[in-house]
Amino acid sequence: FIIDYRIEGGAWQQYSRRVPANPSQVTYQGTVDGLPTNTVVDLRVRVVSQTNEISPPSPEVRGRTKCSAPTQPPQGIRLDSPSINEVRVSWTRPPKQTWMCDQLDVEIAYRKGDEPEKIIRVPGDQTEYTFPAEPNQKWAVKLKATNQMGSSPWSPEVTLTTRQGAPGSVRQGHRLLRG
């Protein structure tokens, strides 16, 4: 048997490996490797006779290849502090062809000061997130793209220390006069 396939309405292509026939077998299966992920694929089968004659194709069936994990993290990660009480991380989404699926979320791993790392997940269409912060606090942030099949590698870590706050009130000193 020969398996033909076409990707998203493109031209029909013949898969390089044939499925061998066995006279006692009724049901057959074949796998077409190397197709792009999360893509509509049409398939059809042709029979090859013992004299190498090829039949007309079977009716076609439509399927979709599975998703796989994104290959790239978000890009252009910036960390700033719009105020002494906020830290904002912003980024651009990775190129669509690296998503490997229709849906994409972003995971943000962050550490503030000496606290343990925490991770939050935001929708893929979001390109910034603002955290509450304290003055003079060191932050470290990294991001990765994620979907239902897995995650990209983490981005390089970006760091920032928030600005110092206003000084506290000054207590008036008393001077002892001796005389």
Side-chain angles (χ1 to χ4, degrees):
F1 296 96
I2 293 173
I3 300 173
D4 294 331
Y5 66 95
R6 80 176 161 202
I7 298 168
E8 303 245 15
W12 284 102
Q13 299 175 62
Q14 181 177 315
Y15 188 57
S16 59
R17 287 198 301 253
R18 293 184 176 187
V19 177
N22 180 340
S24 64
Q25 195 171 341
V26 178
T27 306
Y28 292 88
Q29 71 179 30
T31 302
V32 179
D33 297 319
L35 296 173
T37 60
N38 193 38
T39 303
V40 173
V41 179
D42 297 318
L43 300 160
R44 65 185 186 189
V45 178
R46 294 183 287 148
V47 177
V48 180
S49 72
Q50 291 178 334
T51 59
N52 223 22
E53 294 174 355
I54 298 173
S55 74
S58 68
E60 58 194 65
V61 294
R62 177 162 282 186
R64 178 177 282 278
T65 58
K66 291 182 178 179
C67 292
S68 61
T71 58
Q72 287 185 22
Q75 311 289 304
I77 298 161
R78 293 172 307 283
L79 206 52
D80 69 339
S81 183
S83 76
I84 59 172
N85 297 320
E86 295 177 310
V87 167
R88 178 176 53 205
V89 58
S90 55
W91 61 90
T92 56
R93 295 173 2 173
K96 179 100 170 138
Q97 68 269 21
T98 69
W99 293 13
M100 311 313 265
C101 208
D102 288 338
Q103 299 295 319
L104 185 78
D105 287 334
V106 173
E107 287 188 5
I108 304 171
Y110 66 97
R111 271 188 340 273
K112 49 186 178 177
D114 294 328
E115 294 179 16
E117 183 175 88
K118 295 179 184 171
I119 298 175
I120 61 165
R121 192 174 185 138
V122 298
D125 58 353
Q126 192 168 327
T127 56
E128 71 174 44
Y129 188 85
T130 302
F131 295 94
E134 294 174 14
N136 200 30
Q137 191 174 48
K138 183 172 168 94
W139 283 74
V141 176
K142 60 186 177 180
L143 283 72
K144 68 180 175 180
T146 187
N147 64 29
Q148 66 263 36
M149 297 305 289
S151 299
S152 72
W154 286 105
S155 69
E157 193 172 81
V158 179
T159 60
L160 169 91
T161 300
T162 55
R163 296 187 306 264
Q164 291 208 288
S169 61
V170 176
R171 282 184 255 142
Q172 188 170 355
H174 294 285
R175 189 169 172 205
L176 217 50
L177 296 176
R178 294 188 187 169

